[in-house]
Amino acid sequence: DATVADERNLYMKTLIHRTSRRFYDPSLGIFLIRLMTGLIFLTHGWNKVVALSQTMQMFSNLGMWPVVGVFVGWLEVVGGLALILGVATRFFGTLFAVLMIVAAILVGSARGFAGMEYELLLAACSLGILFIGSGKYSIYKMERHLNPDTAQ
């Protein structure tokens, strides 16, 4: 019967609408992006730090001072942790965006676009974090919420 089908369709549309409104939370979205981007930088940075001699050699082979590899490794560890926690997210978003664009040019450009996809994706995520900020699920926001005297 057509009316039964119309009622089912209306019920499903209403259910979907209510469900999507209930789960609409842009701050949760930015938290997930921050979490995964931070975890990627943290783990890649940690791998650079624990294998410093290989990291320094790799950067030397790219025509850079070996100490740049040490700096990048620690930047990724500290910055990745900061992104996960939601502290100084715009600052590290800026640094990571620049870092990944440079990495895409230096390492990936010889392989074409397919060789730069990963670096460009991380650069885009970092730029998104730069523009959006930490969101409400962050230590920065929790600290301001718990101590309103620090809010400006």
Side-chain angles (χ1 to χ4, degrees):
D1 190 53
T3 26
V4 173
D6 288 342
E7 287 177 16
R8 283 188 198 144
N9 286 340
L10 180 61
Y11 173 76
M12 287 305 295
K13 285 180 183 178
T14 305
L15 181 65
I16 290 170
H17 178 71
R18 286 182 183 163
T19 304
S20 65
R21 287 183 56 125
R22 181 175 307 253
F23 291 108
Y24 177 77
D25 189 354
S27 285
L28 181 58
I30 189 60
F31 169 71
L32 294 173
I33 292 169
R34 263 190 19 243
L35 176 68
M36 291 312 301
T37 305
L39 279 171
I40 289 169
F41 279 116
L42 177 64
T43 56
H44 283 248
W46 185 251
N47 289 336
K48 287 178 181 76
V49 168
V50 296
L52 272 180
S53 60
Q54 292 94 333
T55 300
M56 292 170 71
Q57 183 63 46
M58 178 184 72
F59 277 79
S60 178
N61 291 343
L62 291 171
M64 291 185 253
W65 296 325
V67 71
V68 173
V70 177
F71 174 75
V72 168
W74 281 110
L75 170 66
E76 290 178 349
V77 168
V78 173
L81 190 58
L83 288 184
I84 292 167
L85 297 175
V87 178
T89 53
R90 293 178 192 266
F91 175 73
F92 285 108
T94 304
L95 293 178
F96 285 151
V98 170
L99 179 67
M100 289 297 100
I101 290 169
V102 169
I105 292 168
L106 288 179
V107 178
S109 62
R111 299 176 296 204
F113 181 76
M116 298 187 292
E117 288 173 333
Y118 182 71
E119 291 85 1
L120 292 176
L121 177 62
L122 284 174
C125 288
S126 298
L127 285 172
I129 291 167
L130 162 66
F131 295 134
I132 295 173
S134 60
K136 69 180 178 183
Y137 301 113
S138 66
I139 289 200
Y140 173 72
K141 295 289 182 180
M142 285 193 299
E143 188 272 332
R144 290 182 70 200
H145 178 73
L146 294 174
N147 188 3
D149 296 336
T150 62
Q152 297 176 8

